């Protein structure tokens, strides 16, 4: 398409040069048709011509998926080197090609810690069996390699426990083996799809060692000998697919039956990327801090562009073209884009939350001797922010005063609602009757800021 456009332009140029019939001078307007070249692969869509300003702005700012990547994804996430998703962390979204590769790709593949994994990102786990024993392969829930030297173990003496150095496997079903310890070959099995599209079963690793059958027989422990250490490290590095990656007992792919990808073509609400921006998917809370962590969260036109882009992706397509125009006219979210607002209405740190805290709490939580060591008054807004967000409460060291994205882990918030799990009084204490609370609207603002806006400093 590009090439033919160029050829046509050159042709026209040649024609113009060779032509003797130039337009006569001073005869009025020069015929000018502002034909902007259509990018290759673009499908023609009927533009949105309604009156909603957010839709019009989204359509203007983000005509194509390429714009969504360049102006939204790059800005909120991958742009700043090292902040997130710039090669360091899966998903890498920093080029248009990697962004396209996120369509249909699994989520939480490389999550920093188990508890950050969303059940619906879990895939069917790899399977395990003992080569010499007759039982069906059992799905692996999760594994842990405890590094170090495996101590001398003995069924009648020192037995392994959860912390013993070696490879621990936690399986979906108990192993039907009677012995406590058997010296057999343990085999790891995976299904894969071959070139012809057939499902093949592959035993991708096996270890002959002492296998201990612990607890309810779903916990296996493998002694790792000196000469096996490298191959076990290799196995762990190459990845075992864990059916219960977040170790919460729910095997997401089995129980929920519908594992979601990073970007789910046609289904923005069932796309993990969107869920991480919103903090929820359907009725489920998505674990982990709301994205973006350190940048301005997307506004309504931004979110609309992302939702309409994903909704417009054909789930049956073999590949996707970011240059295709986003169809805002038929996009269902164009009907009420305001519902996509992540931040509620103006519940920002500097605009609302800080003034609220300072006027209602500063009398006691400020000055030379702030109550409970909490000072919301002195210093710059940034310094106050830094004293609250991700800083442990003095009354409960297990919780932070503000935990972005989580109300139940934000101790300061729970002090405002009079939650039963906090110590001391409900805040703010009214010095006259010792008993008061903030108006609902104010609590709601703080809630929106922590939960919907991810407690960003804006
Ligand atoms: C009249 C004084 C007073 C006011 C006003 C007040 N507090 Fe407090 N605050 C206290 C005292 C005293 C404590 C310690 C005893 C307790 O928890 O009841 C405390 C403790 C706290 C703690 C626990 C600190 C920690 O690190 O564990 C938080 C959080 C808190 N207040 C938040 C607030 C907020 C938010 C407001 C304003 C909406 C507020 N307080 C208004 C007196 C006050």
């Amino acid at each position: 398409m590009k090439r033919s456009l160029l050829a046509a332009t050159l042709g026209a140029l040649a024609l113009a040069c060779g032509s003797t019939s130039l337009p006569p001078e001073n005869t009025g307007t020069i015929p000018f048709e502002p034909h902007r070249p259509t990018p290759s692969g673009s499908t023609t869509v009927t533009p949105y011509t309604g009156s909603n300003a957010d839709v019009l702005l989204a359509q203007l700012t983000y005509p194509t998926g390429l714009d969504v990547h360049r102006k939204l994804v790059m800005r909120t996430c991958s742009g700043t080197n090292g902040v997130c998703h710039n090669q360091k962390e899966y998903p890498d979204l920093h080029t248009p090609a990697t962004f396209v590769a996120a369509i249909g790709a699994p989520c939480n593949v490389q999550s920093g810690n188990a508890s950050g994994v969303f059940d619906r990102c879990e895939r069917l786990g790899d399977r395990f069996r003992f080569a010499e024993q007759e039982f069906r392969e059992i799905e692996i829930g999760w594994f842990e390699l405890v590094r170090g030297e495996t101590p001398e173990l003995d069924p009648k003496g020192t037995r392994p426990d959860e912390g013993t150095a070696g490879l621990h496997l936690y399986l979906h079903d108990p192993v039907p083996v009677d012995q406590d310890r058997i010296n057999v070959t343990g085999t790891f099995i995976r299904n894969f799809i071959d070139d012809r599209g057939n499902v093949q079963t592959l035993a991708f690793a096996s270890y002959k060692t002492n296998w201990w059958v612990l607890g309810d027989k779903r916990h296996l422990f493998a002694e790792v000998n000196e000469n096996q250490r490298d191959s076990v490290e290799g196995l762990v590095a190459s990845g075992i697919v864990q059916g219960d990656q977040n170790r919460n007992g729910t095997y997401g792919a089995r129980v929920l039956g519908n594992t979601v990808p990073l970007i789910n073509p046609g289904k923005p609400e069932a796309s993990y990327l969107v869920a991480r921006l919103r903090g929820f998917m359907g009725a489920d809370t998505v674990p982990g801090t709301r994205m973006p962590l350190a940048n301005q969260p997307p506004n309504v036109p931004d979110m609309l562009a992302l939702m309409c882009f994903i909704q417009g992706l054909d789930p049956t397509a073999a590949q996707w073209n970011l240059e295709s125009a986003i169809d805002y006219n038929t996009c269902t979210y164009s009907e009420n884009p305001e519902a996509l607002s992540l931040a509620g209405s103006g519940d920002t740190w500097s605009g609302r939350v800080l003034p609220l805290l300072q006027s209602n709490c500063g009398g006691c939580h400020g000055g030379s001797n702030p109550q409970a060591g909490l000072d919301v008054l002195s210093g710059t807004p940034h310094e106050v922010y830094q004293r609250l967000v991700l800083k442990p409460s003095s009354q409960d060291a297990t919780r932070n005063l503000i935990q972005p994205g989580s109300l139940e882990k934000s101790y300061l918030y729970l002090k405002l609602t009079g939650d039963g799990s906090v110590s001391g009084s409900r805040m703010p204490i009214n010095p006259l009757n010792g008993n008061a609370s903030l108006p609902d609207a104010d609590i709601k603002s703080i809630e929106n800021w922590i939960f919907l806006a991810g407690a960003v400093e804006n």
Side-chain angles (χ1 to χ4, degrees), residues 385-396:
Y385 180 87
Q386 290 201 311
R387 286 200 290 269
L388 300 182
V389 176
L390 295 171
K391 291 291 148 51
S393 136
S394 65
Q395 293 180 344
D396 176 359

Side-chain angles (χ1 to χ4, degrees), residues 253-296:
R254 283 181 183 234
V255 176
L256 308 166
N258 45 357
T259 303
V260 297
L262 278 168
I263 296 177
N264 204 343
K267 293 186 186 156
E269 312 251 353
S271 297
Y272 180 70
L273 191 77
V274 171
R276 273 308 284 275
L277 289 167
R278 304 172 117 190
F280 63 89
M281 182 180 288
D284 301 325
T285 310
V286 177
T289 314
R290 299 257 321 276
M291 294 289 144
L293 251 183
N295 299 323
Q296 185 83 5

Side-chain angles (χ1 to χ4, degrees), residues 16 26 28-29 32-33 48 95 106 135 247 284 292 294 297 301 332 342 352 380 382 417 433 454:
N26 303 327
T29 54
F32 174 70
E33 279 183 87
Y48 171 85
T95 69
F135 65 82
R247 309 178 182 184
D284 301 325
T332 55
L342 294 178
R352 181 123 172 86
T380 63
H382 177 65
T417 59
N433 58 13

Side-chain angles (χ1 to χ4, degrees), residues 8 24 49 78-79 101 129 170 183 187 191-192 241 272 274 286 290 304 329 382 409 445 450:
T49 51
S78 63
R129 57 169 290 117
Y170 296 83
N183 191 277
T187 305
N191 285 351
F192 72 102
V241 181
Y272 180 70
V274 171
V286 177
R290 299 257 321 276
L304 181 66
N329 197 39
H382 177 65
K409 289 192 189 133
S445 287
I450 296 174

Side-chain angles (χ1 to χ4, degrees), residues 72-111:
L72 175 59
V73 176
M74 289 295 280
R75 188 194 80 216
T76 51
C77 193
S78 63
T80 339
N81 223 327
V83 167
C84 62
H85 314 300
N86 199 325
Q87 288 161 309
K88 282 188 178 161
E89 203 173 318
Y90 184 95
D92 169 11
L93 299 172
H94 82 291
T95 69
T98 52
F99 184 53
V100 170
I103 302 171
C107 45
N108 284 161
V109 164
Q110 201 186 70
S111 157

Side-chain angles (χ1 to χ4, degrees), residues 253-388:
R254 283 181 183 234
V255 176
L256 308 166
N258 45 357
T259 303
V260 297
L262 278 168
I263 296 177
N264 204 343
K267 293 186 186 156
E269 312 251 353
S271 297
Y272 180 70
L273 191 77
V274 171
R276 273 308 284 275
L277 289 167
R278 304 172 117 190
F280 63 89
M281 182 180 288
D284 301 325
T285 310
V286 177
T289 314
R290 299 257 321 276
M291 294 289 144
L293 251 183
N295 299 323
Q296 185 83 5
N299 61 22
V300 169
D302 296 342
M303 281 303 287
L304 181 66
L306 182 63
M307 301 300 268
C308 293
F309 163 66
I310 298 176
Q311 192 174 63
L313 294 169
D314 175 4
T316 63
Q319 57 186 37
W320 294 275
N321 191 340
L322 288 187
E323 292 171 17
S324 302
I326 298 174
D327 188 348
Y328 292 94
N329 197 39
T330 61
C331 175
T332 55
Y333 298 96
S334 296
E335 282 160 29
N336 182 18
E338 284 66 33
L340 298 173
S341 172
L342 294 178
S345 43
D347 294 325
T348 59
W349 164 249
S350 56
R352 181 123 172 86
V353 177
L354 179 64
L356 245 167
L357 293 180
Q358 296 196 315
S359 55
N360 290 286
C361 327
C364 301
H365 295 288
S368 57
N369 185 22
Q371 296 292 341
L374 177 66
D375 179 359
V376 298
L377 216 50
S378 62
T380 63
H382 177 65
E383 285 165 340
V384 178
Y385 180 87
Q386 290 201 311
R387 286 200 290 269
L388 300 182

